[in-house]
Each structure stands twice: as structure tokens, then as C-alpha cells.
Amino acid sequence: MNGLWRHPIALGLGALIFVILLAATVTIVPETQQAVILRFEQPVRTVNAWKAGEQFGRTGAGPILRIPFIDRLVWLNKRVLDVDYDNQQVLSSDQLRLEVDAYARFRIVDPLKAVNATGSTSQTETAITEALRPLLGSSIRNELGNQPFATLLSPERDQVMDNIQARLQRLAGQYGVQIVDVRIKHADLPDGAPLQSALDRMKTARVQEALTIQAKGQQTAQIISAEADARAAQIYAESFNKDPDFYDFYRAMQSYRYTFGDTAKGQTSMVLSPDNAYLKEFQGRR
């Protein structure tokens, strides 16, 4: 021991080496981070990986041991991350060019898959974000390409968001991420001539739709009227077959009402002989 104190430089170097070995062996994993341990650049295990329903303070965070200078850690955030899709043009199903701003929120739920998909780089989060951006754009273009612009102004907008999220999840699963939410901040028509042209096309489409509905309504009314007339004729025919005398009497009463009622209103006189066949129902003749 006295020999060590006589060589303070050697003592200092030894302490420094010990500290370096300790730092290379012991690592503290925060609650908000998950780590993938690489040994000879090959993933061997994960630490504090995200799990559904886990409680803060009861995860795998804390100090861990690793082989110094052999094991390397790749850090991944456990929190929800964002990827933006800014000011991109998208063509709707009614051939309108829309300027779209959107974003997606995602969480890394499979660290090993994420590291393998991005090549075990230290910038795994950035690499995943950059990889998801074109996938988000593709999902938005594919979904909005099947929808008219008016859908984005209606309650069906939420269903469109769900469809985009489902499309993006199918594409993004290879990166070990879970798509939490997708939202379109705005989808506007370009200003100027394109906007006016789009409004004119929308107006023409609505007018044509109104004319089509009106024509269908008239067609339906004609069908209902024809069916009613046919039913009435059928009822008359059935009544005539059951009691021809009553049917003659009923028709004669209708004729008298229309004939004498109208002439009375018009102050017109009619001269008929007492034995006229038209007046037989008044006299009870057959």
C-alpha cells in the first residue's frame, strides 16, 4: 500500500481504468427509453421494451450489465413520436388537386425489428421517421384517390382517417411500429383558377345530381299512378262481376253527380225526354 502511495500517477491511472470499465459495464436505462444490446453488431436482447398496459415505475428500466467494449446499445424512445406530411398535392377521385397537410403518430413496439429494419444504426428513430414519411404519403394518396373532395367536408372524414391509418399500419409493420393516429390538418383546393374551376365542376355535378333525382322521382310517381289505376280497374272489374246491377247503379250515380252538378254550377239548362235511357236510374228502370 505504501508503494502505491509513492506512485500517485499509477494510482490515478488505475482509478481511471476502473471508472472506464465500470462505465462500460454498467448502464442505466431510463423509463422513457428502450434499448437493444448489440454484440458484435448482432442484436442479442432488448431492455425495457414497450408493453401494452405497463405501469410507470414497474418496467425493466434501471441499471443493467453488459460486456465492456463488446456490447453496444441502441436507444429507442418509448413515447409516441410524430411524422409529418406537409404541403403535398393529392388527386381526389373527382379529379381535384388538393394541397394536403397531415401527420401520423406512432410508437416503437418491437425494438429488435426496428433495429434490424434500419441496419442497427445509432439514428434508428430518425431512420424510422424518414422511412414512414413516404409510406404515409402513399397511404394518403391511395385513400383520397378513391374519395371525392366532398367526403373530407362530411362526417365520413373520420372513416377516411381510419382507412389511412389501417393502410399505413400494414405498410409500417415491417419497422416494428404501431400507428397510434393519423390526422389530416387541412386539405384545400389551390387558390386562383384551379379553385374556381373546381367550384364550377362541383356546381355542375350538384345540378346534374338534382336533375337525376327529380327524373327518378317523376318515374317513381308515374309507376305508382299506373299501379293505382290498374288496381282501381281491377277492383271495378271484380265489383262488376260480383253485382253487375249495383255496378251500373254506382256508375250512373257518379255520372249524374258530375253532369248535373257541373251544369248547376255553370247555370246551364238540359232538356231530356222522360223516357231517355240516361235517366233510367231515376225511374228505377232496367
Side-chain angles (χ1 to χ4, degrees):
M1 181 64 67
N2 291 333
L4 290 176
W5 286 112
R6 293 194 188 109
H7 299 85
I9 296 177
L11 181 62
L13 288 175
L16 180 60
I17 292 173
F18 176 76
V19 170
I20 293 174
L21 288 175
L22 181 64
T25 304
V26 180
T27 301
I28 297 178
V29 179
E31 289 280 357
T32 59
Q33 297 288 323
Q34 51 191 334
V36 177
I37 298 179
L38 304 179
R39 184 168 299 163
F40 301 111
E41 298 303 317
Q42 296 297 323
V44 292
R45 66 188 180 99
T46 61
V47 179
N48 196 32
W50 181 87
K51 297 178 182 177
E54 65 181 0
Q55 296 182 359
F56 187 82
R58 295 185 178 180
T59 63
I64 62 171
L65 298 177
R66 56 174 176 161
I67 301 176
F69 310 114
I70 295 178
D71 290 348
R72 181 170 69 88
L73 270 65
V74 177
W75 298 98
L76 300 169
N77 205 321
K78 292 182 67 174
R79 293 170 290 189
V80 176
L81 307 174
D82 296 334
V83 55
D84 293 324
Y85 184 77
D86 297 329
N87 294 325
Q88 301 294 324
Q89 285 198 350
V90 177
L91 190 66
S92 64
S93 63
D94 46 0
Q95 302 303 307
L96 298 180
R97 292 191 177 275
L98 310 177
E99 291 185 354
V100 177
D101 273 0
Y103 67 88
R105 299 183 183 276
F106 67 95
R107 177 188 290 114
I108 300 173
V109 297
D110 191 337
L112 277 177
K113 184 180 289 187
V115 170
N116 288 328
T118 56
S120 304
T121 65
S122 59
Q123 300 294 327
T124 300
E125 290 179 17
T126 302
I128 291 177
T129 301
E130 293 301 321
L132 291 181
R133 185 170 288 110
L135 299 182
L136 173 61
S138 175
S139 300
I140 291 174
R141 287 192 299 272
N142 290 337
E143 181 61 28
L144 296 188
N146 296 327
Q147 302 290 342
F149 173 65
T151 302
L152 298 178
L153 307 177
S154 68
E156 297 178 7
R157 178 188 179 101
D158 292 339
Q159 183 60 48
V160 173
M161 299 298 99
D162 293 340
N163 294 342
I164 295 175
Q165 181 175 342
R167 286 175 180 269
L168 181 58
Q169 182 62 65
R170 289 194 295 269
L171 297 174
Q174 59 182 313
Y175 295 101
V177 302
Q178 177 189 45
I179 304 301
V180 177
D181 192 18
V182 174
R183 282 291 176 264
I184 293 179
K185 291 183 282 187
H186 70 82
D188 299 331
L189 295 169
D191 295 331
L195 175 59
Q196 187 60 43
S197 176
L199 294 176
D200 292 340
R201 286 199 300 271
M202 293 174 65
K203 180 179 179 181
T204 302
R206 294 300 177 271
V207 171
Q208 292 176 348
E209 183 178 358
L211 293 175
T212 301
I213 294 174
Q214 184 179 5
K216 289 182 178 179
Q218 292 176 350
Q219 181 182 8
T220 303
Q222 292 175 354
I223 294 174
I224 293 174
S225 178
E227 290 177 349
D229 292 341
R231 180 59 179 164
Q234 180 182 1
I235 293 173
Y236 281 133
E238 291 175 354
S239 300
F240 179 77
N241 293 330
K242 289 181 179 179
D243 192 345
D245 292 338
F246 175 78
Y247 183 76
D248 288 341
F249 173 77
Y250 176 74
R251 296 295 293 172
M253 291 301 103
Q254 283 188 321
S255 177
Y256 293 158
R257 180 170 56 192
Y258 291 136
T259 300
F260 299 123
D262 292 342
T263 57
K265 292 179 182 178
Q267 300 300 322
T268 300
S269 299
M270 298 180 63
V271 178
L272 299 172
S273 63
D275 58 349
N276 190 289
Y278 184 63
L279 301 176
K280 65 179 182 179
E281 293 296 342
F282 279 131
Q283 300 174 357
R285 292 184 284 118
R286 293 291 183 265

